[in-house]
Coordinates of all heavy atoms in Angstrom, one line a residue:
M1 N 43.7 9.2 90.0 CA 42.4 8.5 90.1 C 42.6 7.1 89.5 O 43.3 6.9 88.5 CB 41.4 9.3 89.2 CG 40.0 8.8 89.1 SD 39.0 9.9 88.1 CE 39.3 11.4 88.9
R2 N 41.9 6.1 90.1 CA 42.0 4.7 89.6 C 41.0 4.5 88.4 O 39.9 5.0 88.5 CB 41.8 3.7 90.7 CG 42.7 3.8 91.8 CD 44.2 3.5 91.5 NE 44.3 2.2 90.9 CZ 45.5 1.7 90.4 NH1 46.5 2.5 90.4 NH2 45.6 0.5 90.0
L3 N 41.5 3.8 87.4 CA 40.6 3.4 86.3 C 39.3 2.7 86.9 O 38.2 2.9 86.4 CB 41.3 2.5 85.3 CG 40.6 2.0 84.2 CD1 40.1 3.1 83.3 CD2 41.4 1.0 83.4
V4 N 39.5 1.8 87.9 CA 38.4 1.0 88.4 C 37.3 1.9 88.9 O 36.1 1.5 89.1 CB 38.8 0.0 89.5 CG1 39.6 -1.1 88.9 CG2 39.5 0.7 90.6
D5 N 37.6 3.2 89.3 CA 36.6 4.1 89.8 C 35.8 4.9 88.8 O 35.0 5.7 89.1 CB 37.3 5.1 90.8 CG 37.8 4.4 92.0 OD1 37.2 3.4 92.5 OD2 38.9 4.8 92.5
L6 N 36.1 4.6 87.5 CA 35.5 5.3 86.4 C 34.5 4.4 85.6 O 34.3 4.6 84.4 CB 36.6 5.9 85.4 CG 37.4 7.0 86.1 CD1 38.6 7.3 85.1 CD2 36.6 8.2 86.4
A7 N 34.0 3.4 86.3 CA 33.0 2.5 85.7 C 33.4 1.9 84.4 O 32.7 2.0 83.4 CB 31.6 3.2 85.6
P8 N 34.6 1.3 84.3 CA 35.1 0.8 83.1 C 34.4 -0.4 82.6 O 33.9 -1.2 83.4 CB 36.6 0.5 83.4 CG 36.6 0.2 84.8 CD 35.6 1.1 85.4
E9 N 34.4 -0.6 81.3 CA 33.8 -1.9 80.7 C 34.7 -2.2 79.6 O 35.1 -1.4 78.8 CB 32.4 -1.6 80.2 CG 31.4 -1.4 81.2 CD 30.6 -2.6 81.6 OE1 31.0 -3.8 81.2 OE2 29.7 -2.5 82.4
F10 N 35.0 -3.5 79.4 CA 35.7 -4.0 78.2 C 34.6 -4.4 77.2 O 33.5 -4.9 77.6 CB 36.5 -5.2 78.5 CG 37.8 -4.9 79.2 CD1 38.1 -5.6 80.4 CD2 38.7 -4.0 78.7 CE1 39.3 -5.3 81.1 CE2 39.9 -3.7 79.4 CZ 40.2 -4.3 80.6
L11 N 34.9 -4.1 76.0 CA 33.9 -4.2 74.9 C 34.4 -5.0 73.7 O 35.6 -5.1 73.5 CB 33.6 -2.8 74.3 CG 33.2 -1.7 75.3 CD1 33.1 -0.4 74.5 CD2 31.9 -2.0 76.0
R12 N 33.4 -5.7 73.0 CA 33.7 -6.2 71.7 C 32.7 -5.6 70.7 O 31.6 -5.2 71.1 CB 33.5 -7.7 71.7 CG 34.7 -8.5 72.2 CD 34.5 -10.0 71.9 NE 34.7 -10.3 70.5 CZ 35.9 -10.4 69.9 NH1 37.0 -10.3 70.6 NH2 36.0 -10.7 68.6
H13 N 33.1 -5.4 69.5 CA 32.3 -4.8 68.5 C 31.9 -5.9 67.5 O 32.8 -6.3 66.7 CB 33.0 -3.7 67.8 CG 33.5 -2.6 68.8 ND1 32.8 -1.6 69.3 CD2 34.7 -2.5 69.4 CE1 33.4 -0.9 70.2 NE2 34.6 -1.4 70.2
E14 N 30.7 -6.3 67.5 CA 30.3 -7.4 66.6 C 28.9 -7.0 66.0 O 27.9 -7.6 66.3 CB 30.1 -8.7 67.3 CG 31.5 -9.2 67.9 CD 31.4 -10.5 68.6 OE1 30.3 -11.0 68.8 OE2 32.5 -11.0 69.0
G15 N 28.9 -6.0 65.2 CA 27.7 -5.4 64.7 C 27.1 -4.5 65.8 O 27.0 -3.3 65.7
R16 N 26.7 -5.1 66.9 CA 26.4 -4.3 68.1 C 27.6 -4.4 69.1 O 28.5 -5.3 68.9 CB 25.1 -4.8 68.7 CG 25.2 -6.2 69.3 CD 23.8 -6.7 69.6 NE 23.9 -8.1 70.2 CZ 23.9 -8.3 71.5 NH1 23.9 -7.3 72.4 NH2 24.0 -9.5 71.9
T17 N 27.6 -3.5 70.1 CA 28.7 -3.5 71.0 C 28.3 -4.4 72.2 O 27.3 -4.2 72.8 CB 28.9 -2.0 71.5 OG1 29.2 -1.3 70.4 CG2 30.0 -2.0 72.5
L18 N 29.2 -5.3 72.5 CA 29.0 -6.2 73.6 C 29.8 -5.7 74.8 O 31.0 -5.4 74.7 CB 29.5 -7.6 73.3 CG 28.9 -8.3 72.0 CD1 29.5 -9.7 71.8 CD2 27.4 -8.4 72.1
M19 N 29.1 -5.6 75.9 CA 29.7 -5.0 77.2 C 30.1 -6.2 78.1 O 29.6 -7.3 78.0 CB 28.8 -4.1 77.9 CG 28.4 -2.8 77.0 SD 27.2 -1.8 77.9 CE 28.1 -1.3 79.3
G20 N 31.0 -5.9 79.0 CA 31.3 -6.8 80.1 C 32.1 -8.0 79.6 O 32.0 -9.1 80.2
V21 N 32.8 -7.9 78.6 CA 33.6 -9.1 78.1 C 34.9 -9.1 78.9 O 35.3 -8.1 79.5 CB 33.9 -9.0 76.6 CG1 32.6 -8.9 75.8 CG2 34.8 -7.9 76.2
R22 N 35.6 -10.2 78.8 CA 36.9 -10.4 79.5 C 38.0 -9.6 78.7 O 37.9 -9.4 77.5 CB 37.3 -11.9 79.5 CG 36.4 -12.7 80.4 CD 37.1 -14.0 80.8 NE 38.0 -14.5 79.8 CZ 37.8 -15.6 79.1 NH1 36.7 -16.3 79.3 NH2 38.6 -16.0 78.1
F23 N 39.0 -9.3 79.5 CA 40.1 -8.5 78.9 C 40.7 -9.2 77.7 O 41.0 -8.6 76.7 CB 41.1 -8.2 80.0 CG 42.4 -7.5 79.4 CD1 42.3 -6.3 78.7 CD2 43.6 -8.1 79.5 CE1 43.4 -5.7 78.2 CE2 44.7 -7.5 79.0 CZ 44.6 -6.3 78.3
D24 N 40.9 -10.5 77.8 CA 41.6 -11.2 76.7 C 40.7 -11.3 75.5 O 41.3 -11.6 74.4 CB 42.1 -12.6 77.2 CG 40.9 -13.5 77.5 OD1 39.9 -13.0 78.0 OD2 41.1 -14.7 77.4
Q25 N 39.4 -11.0 75.6 CA 38.6 -11.0 74.4 C 38.2 -9.5 74.0 O 37.5 -9.4 73.0 CB 37.3 -11.7 74.7 CG 37.5 -13.2 75.1 CD 36.2 -13.9 75.5 OE1 35.4 -13.3 76.1 NE2 36.1 -15.1 75.1
A26 N 38.6 -8.6 74.8 CA 38.2 -7.2 74.5 C 38.9 -6.6 73.3 O 40.0 -6.9 73.0 CB 38.5 -6.4 75.8
Q27 N 38.1 -5.8 72.6 CA 38.6 -5.0 71.5 C 38.7 -3.5 71.9 O 39.4 -2.7 71.2 CB 37.8 -5.1 70.3 CG 37.8 -6.6 69.7 CD 36.8 -6.8 68.6 OE1 35.6 -6.4 68.7 NE2 37.3 -7.4 67.5
S28 N 38.0 -3.1 72.9 CA 38.0 -1.7 73.3 C 37.7 -1.7 74.8 O 37.3 -2.6 75.4 CB 36.9 -0.9 72.7 OG 37.0 -0.9 71.3
I29 N 38.0 -0.5 75.4 CA 37.5 -0.2 76.7 C 36.8 1.1 76.7 O 37.1 2.0 75.8 CB 38.7 -0.1 77.7 CG1 38.2 0.1 79.2 CG2 39.7 1.0 77.3 CD1 39.4 0.1 80.2
W30 N 35.8 1.3 77.5 CA 35.3 2.6 77.8 C 35.2 2.9 79.3 O 35.1 1.9 80.0 CB 34.0 3.0 77.0 CG 32.7 2.4 77.5 CD1 32.4 1.8 78.6 CD2 31.5 2.4 76.8 NE1 31.1 1.4 78.7 CE2 30.5 1.8 77.6 CE3 31.1 3.0 75.5 CZ2 29.2 1.7 77.2 CZ3 29.8 2.9 75.1 CH2 28.8 2.2 75.9
F31 N 35.3 4.1 79.6 CA 35.2 4.5 81.0 C 34.7 5.9 81.0 O 34.7 6.7 80.0 CB 36.6 4.4 81.7 CG 37.7 5.0 80.9 CD1 38.1 6.3 81.1 CD2 38.4 4.3 80.0 CE1 39.2 6.9 80.4 CE2 39.5 4.8 79.3 CZ 39.9 6.1 79.5
E32 N 34.3 6.3 82.2 CA 33.8 7.7 82.4 C 35.0 8.7 82.3 O 36.1 8.4 82.8 CB 33.2 7.9 83.8 CG 31.9 7.1 83.9 CD 31.3 7.2 85.4 OE1 32.0 7.8 86.2 OE2 30.2 6.7 85.6
C33 N 34.7 9.8 81.6 CA 35.7 10.8 81.5 C 36.1 11.3 82.8 O 35.3 11.7 83.6 CB 35.3 12.0 80.6 SG 36.4 13.3 80.5
P34 N 37.4 11.3 83.2 CA 37.8 11.7 84.5 C 37.6 13.2 84.8 O 37.6 13.6 85.9 CB 39.3 11.3 84.6 CG 39.8 11.3 83.1 CD 38.6 10.8 82.3
V35 N 37.5 14.0 83.7 CA 37.3 15.4 83.9 C 35.8 15.8 84.0 O 35.4 16.6 84.8 CB 38.0 16.2 82.8 CG1 37.6 17.7 82.8 CG2 39.5 16.0 82.9
C36 N 35.0 15.2 83.1 CA 33.6 15.6 83.0 C 32.7 14.8 83.9 O 31.5 15.0 83.8 CB 33.2 15.4 81.5 SG 34.3 16.3 80.4
R37 N 33.2 13.9 84.7 CA 32.3 13.0 85.4 C 31.4 13.7 86.4 O 30.4 13.1 86.8 CB 33.1 11.9 86.0 CG 34.0 12.4 87.1 CD 35.1 11.3 87.4 NE 34.5 10.1 87.9 CZ 34.6 9.7 89.1 NH1 35.3 10.4 90.0 NH2 34.1 8.6 89.5
D38 N 31.8 14.8 86.9 CA 30.9 15.5 87.8 C 29.8 16.4 87.2 O 29.0 16.9 87.9 CB 31.8 16.4 88.8 CG 32.7 15.5 89.6 OD1 32.3 14.4 90.0 OD2 33.8 16.0 89.9
G39 N 29.9 16.6 85.9 CA 28.9 17.4 85.2 C 28.1 16.5 84.3 O 27.6 15.5 84.7
R40 N 28.0 16.9 83.1 CA 27.3 16.1 82.1 C 28.3 15.1 81.5 O 29.1 15.4 80.6 CB 26.8 16.9 80.9 CG 25.3 17.3 81.1 CD 24.6 17.8 79.9 NE 25.5 18.0 78.7 CZ 25.4 19.0 77.9 NH1 24.5 20.0 78.2 NH2 26.2 19.2 76.9
G41 N 28.4 14.0 82.2 CA 29.5 13.0 81.9 C 29.4 12.4 80.5 O 28.3 12.5 79.9
H42 N 30.4 11.8 80.1 CA 30.5 11.1 78.9 C 31.5 9.9 79.0 O 32.3 10.0 79.9 CB 30.8 12.0 77.7 CG 32.1 12.6 77.7 ND1 33.2 12.0 77.1 CD2 32.6 13.7 78.4 CE1 34.3 12.8 77.4 NE2 33.9 13.8 78.1
H43 N 31.4 9.0 78.1 CA 32.4 7.9 78.1 C 33.5 8.2 77.2 O 33.3 8.9 76.2 CB 31.7 6.6 77.7 CG 30.9 6.0 78.8 ND1 29.5 6.2 78.9 CD2 31.2 5.1 79.8 CE1 29.1 5.5 79.9 NE2 30.1 4.8 80.5
V44 N 34.7 7.7 77.5 CA 35.8 7.7 76.6 C 36.0 6.3 76.1 O 36.1 5.4 76.8 CB 37.1 8.2 77.4 CG1 38.3 8.1 76.5 CG2 36.9 9.5 78.1
L45 N 36.0 6.2 74.8 CA 36.1 4.9 74.1 C 37.6 4.8 73.5 O 38.0 5.7 72.8 CB 35.1 4.8 72.9 CG 35.2 3.6 72.1 CD1 34.9 2.3 72.8 CD2 34.3 3.7 70.8
V46 N 38.2 3.8 73.9 CA 39.6 3.5 73.4 C 39.7 2.1 72.9 O 39.4 1.2 73.6 CB 40.6 3.7 74.6 CG1 42.0 3.3 74.2 CG2 40.6 5.1 75.1
S47 N 40.0 2.0 71.6 CA 40.1 0.7 70.9 C 41.5 0.2 70.8 O 42.4 1.0 70.7 CB 39.4 0.8 69.6 OG 38.0 1.0 69.7
F48 N 41.7 -1.1 70.9 CA 43.0 -1.7 71.0 C 43.5 -2.1 69.6 O 42.8 -2.7 68.8 CB 42.9 -2.9 71.9 CG 42.4 -2.6 73.3 CD1 41.7 -3.6 74.0 CD2 42.5 -1.4 73.9 CE1 41.1 -3.4 75.2 CE2 42.0 -1.1 75.1 CZ 41.3 -2.1 75.8
A49 N 44.8 -1.9 69.5 CA 45.5 -2.5 68.3 C 45.6 -4.0 68.4 O 45.7 -4.5 69.5 CB 46.9 -1.8 68.2
G50 N 45.6 -4.6 67.3 CA 45.9 -6.1 67.3 C 44.8 -7.0 67.8 O 45.1 -8.1 68.2
R51 N 43.6 -6.4 67.9 CA 42.5 -7.2 68.4 C 41.4 -7.5 67.4 O 40.3 -7.9 67.7 CB 41.9 -6.5 69.6 CG 42.8 -6.4 70.8 CD 43.0 -7.7 71.5 NE 43.9 -7.6 72.7 CZ 43.4 -7.8 74.0 NH1 42.1 -8.1 74.2 NH2 44.2 -7.6 75.0
G52 N 41.8 -7.4 66.1 CA 40.9 -7.8 65.1 C 39.8 -6.9 64.7 O 38.8 -7.3 64.0
L53 N 39.9 -5.6 65.0 CA 38.9 -4.6 64.7 C 39.0 -4.2 63.2 O 40.1 -4.0 62.7 CB 39.0 -3.4 65.5 CG 38.5 -3.4 66.9 CD1 38.9 -2.2 67.7 CD2 37.0 -3.5 66.9
A54 N 37.8 -4.1 62.5 CA 37.8 -3.5 61.2 C 38.0 -2.0 61.4 O 37.8 -1.4 62.5 CB 36.5 -3.7 60.5
D55 N 38.4 -1.3 60.3 CA 38.7 0.1 60.4 C 37.5 1.0 60.8 O 37.7 2.0 61.5 CB 39.3 0.7 59.1 CG 40.8 0.2 58.9 OD1 41.4 -0.3 59.8 OD2 41.3 0.5 57.8
D56 N 36.3 0.5 60.5 CA 35.2 1.3 60.8 C 34.5 1.0 62.1 O 33.5 1.4 62.5 CB 34.1 1.2 59.7 CG 33.6 -0.2 59.5 OD1 34.2 -1.2 60.1 OD2 32.6 -0.4 58.8
Q57 N 35.2 0.1 62.9 CA 34.7 -0.3 64.2 C 35.5 0.5 65.3 O 36.7 0.8 65.0 CB 34.8 -1.8 64.4 CG 34.0 -2.6 63.5 CD 34.2 -4.1 63.7 OE1 35.3 -4.5 63.7 NE2 33.1 -4.8 63.9
G58 N 34.9 0.6 66.4 CA 35.7 1.1 67.6 C 35.9 2.6 67.4 O 35.2 3.4 66.7
S59 N 37.0 3.1 68.1 CA 37.2 4.5 68.2 C 37.8 5.0 66.9 O 38.5 4.4 66.2 CB 38.2 4.8 69.4 OG 39.4 4.0 69.3
Q60 N 37.3 6.3 66.6 CA 37.7 7.0 65.4 C 38.3 8.3 65.8 O 37.9 9.0 66.6 CB 36.5 7.2 64.5 CG 35.7 5.9 64.2 CD 36.5 5.0 63.2 OE1 37.0 5.5 62.2 NE2 36.5 3.7 63.5
G61 N 39.4 8.6 65.1 CA 40.1 9.9 65.3 C 39.4 11.1 64.7 O 38.4 10.9 64.0
R62 N 39.9 12.2 65.0 CA 39.3 13.5 64.5 C 39.3 13.5 63.0 O 38.4 14.2 62.4 CB 40.0 14.7 65.0 CG 39.6 15.0 66.5 CD 40.3 16.3 66.9 NE 41.7 16.3 67.0 CZ 42.3 15.9 68.2 NH1 41.6 15.6 69.2 NH2 43.6 15.8 68.2
E63 N 40.2 12.9 62.3 CA 40.3 12.9 60.9 C 39.6 11.8 60.2 O 39.7 11.5 59.0 CB 41.8 12.9 60.5 CG 42.5 14.2 60.9 CD 44.0 14.0 60.9 OE1 44.5 12.9 60.5 OE2 44.7 14.9 61.4
G64 N 38.7 11.1 61.0 CA 37.9 10.0 60.4 C 38.6 8.7 60.2 O 38.2 7.9 59.5
K65 N 39.8 8.6 60.8 CA 40.6 7.4 60.7 C 40.5 6.6 62.0 O 40.3 7.2 63.0 CB 42.1 7.7 60.4 CG 42.3 8.4 59.1 CD 43.8 8.7 58.9 CE 44.0 9.5 57.6 NZ 45.4 10.0 57.6
P66 N 40.6 5.3 61.9 CA 40.5 4.5 63.2 C 41.6 4.9 64.1 O 42.8 5.1 63.7 CB 40.6 3.1 62.7 CG 41.2 3.1 61.3 CD 40.8 4.4 60.7
S67 N 41.3 5.0 65.4 CA 42.4 5.3 66.4 C 42.5 4.1 67.3 O 41.5 3.5 67.8 CB 42.0 6.5 67.2 OG 40.7 6.4 67.7
R68 N 43.8 3.7 67.4 CA 44.0 2.4 68.1 C 45.2 2.7 69.1 O 46.1 3.4 68.8 CB 44.5 1.3 67.2 CG 43.5 1.0 66.1 CD 42.2 0.3 66.6 NE 41.3 0.0 65.5 CZ 40.1 0.6 65.3 NH1 39.8 1.7 66.0 NH2 39.3 0.2 64.3
W69 N 45.1 2.0 70.2 CA 46.1 2.1 71.3 C 46.7 0.7 71.6 O 46.0 -0.3 71.5 CB 45.5 2.6 72.6 CG 45.2 4.1 72.6 CD1 46.0 5.0 73.2 CD2 44.2 4.8 72.0 NE1 45.5 6.3 73.0 CE2 44.4 6.2 72.3 CE3 43.1 4.4 71.2 CZ2 43.5 7.2 71.8 CZ3 42.2 5.4 70.8 CH2 42.4 6.8 71.1
E70 N 48.0 0.8 71.9 CA 48.6 -0.4 72.5 C 48.2 -0.6 73.9 O 48.2 0.3 74.7 CB 50.2 -0.3 72.4 CG 50.7 -0.1 71.0 CD 50.6 -1.4 70.2 OE1 50.5 -2.5 70.8 OE2 50.4 -1.2 69.0
V71 N 47.7 -1.8 74.2 CA 47.2 -2.1 75.6 C 48.1 -3.2 76.2 O 48.5 -4.1 75.6 CB 45.7 -2.5 75.5 CG1 45.6 -3.8 74.7 CG2 45.2 -2.6 76.9
S72 N 48.3 -3.0 77.5 CA 49.0 -4.0 78.2 C 48.5 -4.1 79.7 O 47.8 -3.2 80.1 CB 50.5 -3.7 78.2 OG 50.8 -2.5 78.8
G73 N 48.8 -5.2 80.3 CA 48.3 -5.4 81.7 C 47.4 -6.6 81.7 O 47.5 -7.4 80.7
T74 N 46.7 -6.8 82.8 CA 45.8 -8.0 82.9 C 44.4 -7.7 83.1 O 43.5 -8.6 83.2 CB 46.3 -8.9 84.1 OG1 46.2 -8.1 85.3 CG2 47.8 -9.3 83.9
G75 N 44.1 -6.4 83.3 CA 42.7 -6.0 83.6 C 42.7 -4.6 84.0 O 43.7 -3.8 83.9
F76 N 41.5 -4.1 84.6 CA 41.4 -2.7 84.9 C 42.4 -2.3 85.9 O 42.9 -1.1 85.9 CB 40.0 -2.5 85.5 CG 38.8 -2.8 84.6 CD1 37.8 -3.6 85.1 CD2 38.8 -2.4 83.3 CE1 36.7 -3.9 84.3 CE2 37.7 -2.7 82.5 CZ 36.7 -3.5 82.9
G77 N 42.8 -3.1 86.8 CA 43.7 -2.7 87.9 C 45.1 -2.4 87.5 O 45.8 -1.6 88.2
D78 N 45.5 -2.9 86.4 CA 46.9 -2.6 86.0 C 47.0 -2.3 84.5 O 48.1 -2.4 83.9 CB 47.8 -3.8 86.3 CG 47.5 -5.1 85.5 OD1 46.5 -5.0 84.8 OD2 48.2 -6.0 85.6
L79 N 46.0 -1.8 83.9 CA 45.9 -1.5 82.5 C 46.8 -0.3 82.2 O 46.9 0.7 82.9 CB 44.5 -1.2 82.1 CG 44.2 -1.3 80.6 CD1 44.0 -2.8 80.3 CD2 43.0 -0.6 80.1
T80 N 47.5 -0.5 81.0 CA 48.3 0.6 80.5 C 47.9 0.8 79.0 O 47.9 -0.2 78.3 CB 49.8 0.4 80.6 OG1 50.2 0.3 82.0 CG2 50.7 1.5 79.9
L81 N 47.7 2.1 78.6 CA 47.4 2.4 77.2 C 48.5 3.3 76.7 O 48.9 4.2 77.4 CB 46.0 3.1 77.2 CG 44.8 2.4 77.6 CD1 43.6 3.3 77.7 CD2 44.5 1.2 76.7
K82 N 48.9 3.0 75.5 CA 49.9 3.9 74.8 C 49.4 4.2 73.4 O 49.0 3.3 72.7 CB 51.3 3.3 74.8 CG 51.9 3.1 76.2 CD 53.2 2.4 76.1 CE 53.8 2.3 77.5 NZ 55.1 1.5 77.5
P83 N 49.5 5.4 72.9 CA 50.0 6.6 73.7 C 48.9 7.2 74.6 O 48.0 6.5 75.0 CB 50.4 7.5 72.5 CG 49.3 7.2 71.5 CD 49.1 5.7 71.6
S84 N 49.0 8.5 74.8 CA 48.1 9.2 75.7 C 46.7 9.2 75.0 O 46.6 8.9 73.8 CB 48.5 10.6 75.9 OG 48.6 11.3 74.7
V85 N 45.7 9.5 75.8 CA 44.3 9.6 75.3 C 43.9 11.1 75.2 O 43.9 11.8 76.2 CB 43.3 8.8 76.2 CG1 41.9 8.9 75.7 CG2 43.8 7.4 76.4
D86 N 43.6 11.5 74.0 CA 43.4 12.9 73.8 C 41.9 13.2 73.4 O 41.5 12.8 72.3 CB 44.3 13.4 72.7 CG 44.2 14.9 72.4 OD1 43.4 15.6 73.2 OD2 44.8 15.4 71.5
C87 N 41.1 13.7 74.3 CA 39.7 14.0 74.1 C 39.5 15.4 73.5 O 38.4 15.8 73.2 CB 38.9 13.9 75.3 SG 38.6 12.2 75.8
T88 N 40.5 16.2 73.5 CA 40.3 17.6 73.0 C 40.0 17.5 71.5 O 40.5 16.7 70.8 CB 41.6 18.4 73.3 OG1 42.7 17.9 72.5 CG2 42.0 18.4 74.7
P89 N 39.3 18.5 71.0 CA 38.7 19.7 71.7 C 37.3 19.4 72.2 O 36.8 20.4 72.9 CB 38.7 20.7 70.6 CG 38.4 19.9 69.3 CD 39.0 18.6 69.5
S90 N 36.8 18.2 72.1 CA 35.4 18.1 72.5 C 35.3 18.1 74.1 O 34.2 18.4 74.6 CB 34.8 16.8 72.0 OG 35.5 15.7 72.4
C91 N 36.4 17.8 74.7 CA 36.4 18.0 76.2 C 37.8 18.2 76.6 O 38.7 18.0 75.8 CB 35.8 16.7 76.8 SG 36.9 15.7 77.8
P92 N 38.1 18.8 77.8 CA 39.4 19.2 78.1 C 40.4 18.1 78.4 O 41.6 18.4 78.5 CB 39.2 20.1 79.4 CG 37.8 20.2 79.6 CD 37.1 19.1 78.8
W93 N 40.0 16.9 78.6 CA 40.9 15.9 79.1 C 41.9 15.4 78.0 O 41.4 15.0 76.9 CB 40.1 14.7 79.6 CG 41.1 13.7 80.3 CD1 42.0 13.9 81.3 CD2 41.2 12.3 80.0 NE1 42.7 12.8 81.6 CE2 42.2 11.8 80.8 CE3 40.6 11.4 79.0 CZ2 42.7 10.4 80.8 CZ3 41.0 10.1 79.0 CH2 42.0 9.6 79.9
H94 N 43.1 15.4 78.3 CA 44.2 14.8 77.5 C 45.1 14.2 78.6 O 45.8 14.9 79.3 CB 44.9 15.8 76.6 CG 46.0 15.2 75.8 ND1 46.8 15.9 75.0 CD2 46.3 13.9 75.6 CE1 47.6 15.1 74.3 NE2 47.4 13.8 74.7
G95 N 45.1 12.8 78.7 CA 45.8 12.3 79.8 C 46.3 10.8 79.5 O 46.3 10.4 78.3
F96 N 46.6 10.1 80.5 CA 47.2 8.8 80.4 C 46.5 7.8 81.3 O 45.9 8.2 82.3 CB 48.7 8.9 80.9 CG 49.6 9.7 80.0 CD1 49.7 11.1 80.2 CD2 50.3 9.2 79.0 CE1 50.5 11.9 79.4 CE2 51.1 9.9 78.1 CZ 51.2 11.3 78.4
V97 N 46.6 6.6 80.8 CA 46.2 5.4 81.7 C 47.4 4.6 81.8 O 47.9 4.0 80.8 CB 45.0 4.6 81.0 CG1 44.7 3.4 81.9 CG2 43.8 5.5 80.8
T98 N 48.0 4.5 83.0 CA 49.2 3.8 83.2 C 49.1 3.0 84.5 O 48.8 3.5 85.6 CB 50.4 4.8 83.4 OG1 50.4 5.7 82.3 CG2 51.7 4.1 83.5
N99 N 49.2 1.7 84.3 CA 49.2 0.7 85.4 C 47.9 0.9 86.3 O 47.9 0.9 87.5 CB 50.4 0.8 86.3 CG 50.6 -0.3 87.3 OD1 50.1 -1.4 87.0 ND2 51.2 -0.1 88.4
G100 N 46.8 1.2 85.6 CA 45.5 1.3 86.2 C 45.2 2.7 86.8 O 44.2 2.9 87.4
E101 N 46.2 3.6 86.7 CA 46.0 4.9 87.2 C 45.7 5.9 86.0 O 46.4 5.8 85.0 CB 47.3 5.4 87.9 CG 47.2 6.7 88.6 CD 46.4 6.6 89.9 OE1 46.3 5.5 90.5 OE2 45.9 7.6 90.4
V102 N 44.7 6.8 86.2 CA 44.3 7.7 85.2 C 44.8 9.1 85.6 O 44.5 9.6 86.7 CB 42.8 7.7 85.0 CG1 42.4 8.7 83.9 CG2 42.3 6.3 84.6
T103 N 45.6 9.7 84.7 CA 46.2 11.0 85.1 C 45.9 12.0 84.0 O 45.5 11.7 82.9 CB 47.7 10.9 85.3 OG1 48.2 10.4 84.2 CG2 48.0 10.0 86.5
Ligands
ZN201 ZN1 35.3 14.8 79.2

């Protein structure tokens, strides 16, 4: 499945969350969960390392610590996130975003 088909948005966190920002200004991405999108869907929020986020902004891990991913590419079409994105146990999806492909 392509990331572009999951209604992705790049985000900045500045008190409130700004949507539709450019990739070079983005601090996070969210997109529809590739597993849950046919039912009661939800967004997957992934925040980027090295983009100036405070620890209490953006995605948070299960242990209450900030979770950050290395991001590369130029936009939705070729985005790569490392490491994998693990939504368990709140949803079954644990997968990868590699070169714009969600697996
Ligand atoms: Zn899900």
Side-chain angles (χ1 to χ4, degrees):
M1 181 177 309
R2 299 298 298 175
L3 178 63
V4 292
D5 294 326
L6 295 172
E9 293 267 6
F10 287 125
L11 311 174
R12 279 190 74 81
H13 306 276
E14 298 183 352
R16 65 194 181 94
T17 299
L18 306 179
M19 297 176 61
V21 306
R22 295 203 321 254
F23 173 58
D24 64 331
Q25 299 177 322
Q27 295 173 311
S28 301
I29 185 174
W30 75 12
F31 49 91
E32 293 175 354
C33 175
V35 171
C36 303
R37 61 198 300 250
D38 293 329
R40 265 198 352 225
H42 63 93
H43 282 93
V44 178
L45 175 66
V46 173
S47 290
F48 305 150
R51 295 288 184 112
L53 281 170
D55 283 353
D56 63 349
Q57 295 176 309
S59 52
Q60 304 290 314
R62 281 188 291 272
E63 295 162 5
K65 297 175 183 170
S67 52
R68 304 289 183 254
W69 281 258
E70 296 295 331
V71 63
S72 58
T74 62
F76 300 131
D78 65 354
L79 202 79
T80 296
L81 299 171
K82 292 179 181 174
S84 63
V85 181
D86 184 2
C87 286
T88 63
S90 62
C91 119
W93 186 56
H94 182 186
F96 293 86
V97 179
T98 307
N99 196 26
E101 187 75 21
V102 180
T103 55

